Amino acid sequence: MRLIFALFSALMLTSLTTAGAQTRIGTVTLTKATTPTQPQNRPASQNAASTSMASVPAGWVEVRGRISAGAPVTLPVGSTVTVVLENQTSPATVVRVQFKTRRLSTPYQLILSPGRLNSRSIYTVRSVITDASGKTLYQSSAVKLPSRSSSVIDLTVR
């Protein structure tokens, strides 16, 4: 019995020390997560902006902002936000993003290839918030997209 316990202890000790920060339990290997470091000597607002831009491929178009109702709003369970980028010159939806949320204000971000946009066309961004059954609760007006590769457009819903 002591021999089995000693072998079991040695086996467990070996499995706990493999690969430095890894633990193996049966057929599952757990690896300790590393903590990301923040760039030093920068205000928090610059860190957030650089993180956002760092995730956008070079030359691509980013549209981001917040969707709000003027005051904080708690939405019904199952509410969906739809953000749409539309071509107004030849009416068509270029990008449609949907996500669930329970509160307004909420952030959004669209990232798209510049090849999806025609320099001679006019584009707008708008949002619609629906409940779980699809009934429209709030919607924003369409806001013209500036001709820049990165734009912040806050949308107010009514």
Side-chain angles (χ1 to χ4, degrees):
M1 185 69 170
R2 284 186 176 168
L3 179 61
I4 293 173
F5 181 76
L7 288 173
F8 180 75
S9 297
L11 179 63
M12 289 302 291
L13 183 58
T14 302
S15 67
L16 289 175
T17 59
T18 58
Q22 292 184 337
T23 302
R24 186 178 177 119
I25 302 172
T27 59
V28 177
T29 302
L30 304 173
T31 304
K32 182 179 179 184
T34 58
T35 305
T37 58
Q38 288 283 337
Q40 295 181 356
N41 302 326
R42 288 178 134 190
S45 62
Q46 285 183 352
N47 286 339
S50 65
T51 301
S52 173
M53 287 306 293
S55 64
V56 179
W60 284 49
V61 177
E62 177 194 32
V63 181
R64 63 185 164 90
R66 296 196 72 79
I67 301 166
S68 64
V73 173
T74 300
L75 298 168
V77 173
S79 294
T80 301
V81 174
T82 303
V83 181
V84 182
L85 176 67
E86 296 173 310
N87 184 336
Q88 297 299 314
T89 307
S90 59
T93 298
V94 178
V95 176
R96 175 185 300 264
V97 175
Q98 293 184 308
F99 57 93
K100 304 276 187 200
T101 190
R102 288 290 319 271
R103 293 186 184 95
L104 293 180
S105 98
T106 189
Y108 76 92
Q109 181 181 35
L110 306 174
I111 299 174
L112 60 144
S113 166
R116 308 265 322 255
L117 303 177
N118 181 334
S119 62
R120 294 181 302 256
S121 294
I122 297 170
Y123 296 92
T124 59
V125 178
R126 65 181 178 86
S127 65
V128 177
I129 301 170
T130 57
D131 66 12
S133 70
K135 177 184 172 193
T136 299
L137 300 173
Y138 299 96
Q139 59 187 358
S140 73
S141 298
V143 177
K144 185 178 175 186
L145 180 67
S147 58
R148 292 191 297 262
S149 63
S150 180
S151 301
V152 176
I153 300 175
D154 292 330
L155 302 170
T156 303
V157 296
R158 305 204 188 288

